[in-house]
C-alpha cells in the first residue's frame, strides 16, 4: 500500500512575499517557509503565526546541490508534500525536484512560454507586447519551462511602467496561485 502523500504546503521566497500573503489570506495550510536569503521581508509575514521559517543562503553550503538538498530535508521534516515558489529567485536543482516529483509549482509574471526569466515584466514592455499576464506552472529543470497549470492575460496600457504593470499582474497572481494550490492539495 502506498503511504498517503503529505499535504503540508511549503513556500519558497526571496522577496516581499505578497504571494505568500495571498496564500495565507486564502487559508492555504502553509506549514513552512524557506528563503534563499537571510532577512527576506516575506519571512516576517509568518513571524507571528507560528509557521516555521528558515534561510538557506548559498554561502552556508559548499554548492547549490548541497543547499537544495538541505532545504528539501528541512521541508520534509515539516511534513511538506507540495512546494510553492512564490517569488523564489533561484533555480531549483534536480536533487531538490526529485524529492517532490510534480509537486513544485511556481508563479511567473508573464504568459509563458512568452517572457521567461527574471525580467519578465520589463521584457514584455520592451517588446511592445499588447498583453502579458500571470502563469502558475509546474517547476522542472528549465527556466520557467514546466507544464502550465493556469494562466490569465493582463493588458499592457499606455504609460505603463514596470512597476504599474507588475502591480496589475500581481493582483491576478494573488487570485490564481491560491486557487491552483487549493486544487493540488485536495486532488
Ligand atoms: C511575482 O511577480 C512572481 O510572479 C515573481 O516574483 C514576484 C514575487 O512577488 N516570480 P512577491 O514576493 O510574492 O510579492
Amino acid at each position: 500500500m502506498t503511504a498517503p502523500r503529505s499535504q503540508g504546503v511549503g513556500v519558497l521566497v526571496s522577496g516581499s512575499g505578497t504571494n505568500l500573503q495571498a496564500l495565507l489570506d486564502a487559508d492555504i495550510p502553509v506549514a513552512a517557509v524557506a528563503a534563499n536569503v537571510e532577512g527576506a521581508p516575506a519571512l516576517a509575514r509568518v513571524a507571528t503565526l507560528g509557521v516555521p521559517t528558515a534561510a538557506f543562503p548559498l554561502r552556508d553550503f559548499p554548492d547549490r546541490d548541497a543547499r537544495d538538498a538541505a532545504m528539501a530535508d528541512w521541508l520534509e521534516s515539516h511534513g511538506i508534500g507540495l512546494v510553492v515558489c512564490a517569488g523564489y529567485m533561484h533555480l531549483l536543482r534536480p536533487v531538490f525536484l526529485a524529492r517532490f516529483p510534480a509537486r513544485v509549482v511556481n508563479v511567473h509574471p508573464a504568459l509563458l512560454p512568452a517572457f521567461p526569466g527574471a525580467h519578465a515584466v520589463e521584457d514584455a514592455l520592451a517588446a511592445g507586447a499588447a498583453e502579458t499576464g500571470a502563469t502558475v506552472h509546474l517547476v522542472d529543470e528549465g527556466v520557467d519551462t514546466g507544464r502550465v497549470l493556469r494562466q490569465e492575460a493582463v493588458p499592457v496600457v499606455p504609460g505603463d511602467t514596470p512597476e504599474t504593470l507588475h502591480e496589475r499582474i500581481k493582483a491576478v497572481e494573488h487570485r490564481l496561485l491560491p486557487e491552483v494550490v487549493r486544487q493540488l492539495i485536495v486532488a
Side-chain angles (χ1 to χ4, degrees):
M1 198 168 88
T2 322
R5 198 184 240 166
S6 173
Q7 293 295 342
V9 176
V11 182
L12 304 186
V13 295
S14 301
S16 68
T18 63
N19 279 287
L20 168 61
Q21 189 66 52
L23 294 170
L24 296 168
D25 291 347
D27 292 327
I28 297 297
V30 174
V33 180
N36 62 324
V37 287
E38 276 162 350
L43 295 177
R45 294 179 183 270
V46 293
T48 59
L49 302 179
V51 175
T53 64
F56 295 84
L58 261 182
R59 68 163 188 279
D60 290 354
F61 300 90
D63 55 29
R64 283 187 177 231
D65 279 359
R67 191 273 300 279
D68 283 13
M71 198 160 65
D73 287 345
W74 183 80
L75 291 166
E76 278 186 358
S77 77
H78 288 91
I80 300 306
L82 177 72
V83 178
V84 181
C85 299
Y88 183 72
M89 299 309 282
H90 273 170
L91 284 180
L92 290 166
R93 300 285 299 153
V95 70
F96 183 98
L97 297 173
R99 302 278 288 277
F100 302 96
R103 298 293 284 175
V104 183
V105 302
N106 181 45
V107 58
H108 181 78
L111 286 179
L112 292 172
F115 309 119
H119 307 289
V121 180
E122 292 84 352
D123 291 348
L125 277 176
E131 66 172 19
T132 179
T135 300
V136 181
H137 65 98
L138 288 177
V139 175
D140 64 13
E141 291 161 24
V143 178
D144 302 320
T145 50
R147 181 160 68 86
V148 171
L149 300 175
R150 282 280 296 278
Q151 55 188 178
E152 190 172 305
V154 173
V156 179
V157 302
D160 255 339
T161 64
E163 291 73 28
T164 60
L165 180 54
H166 201 173
E167 277 312 305
R168 290 206 314 288
I169 294 170
K170 279 190 170 194
V172 173
E173 292 180 344
H174 297 163
R175 178 165 43 78
L176 292 194
L177 184 63
E179 284 176 11
V180 172
V181 170
R182 192 182 312 285
Q183 284 168 357
L184 290 172
I185 58 180
V186 299

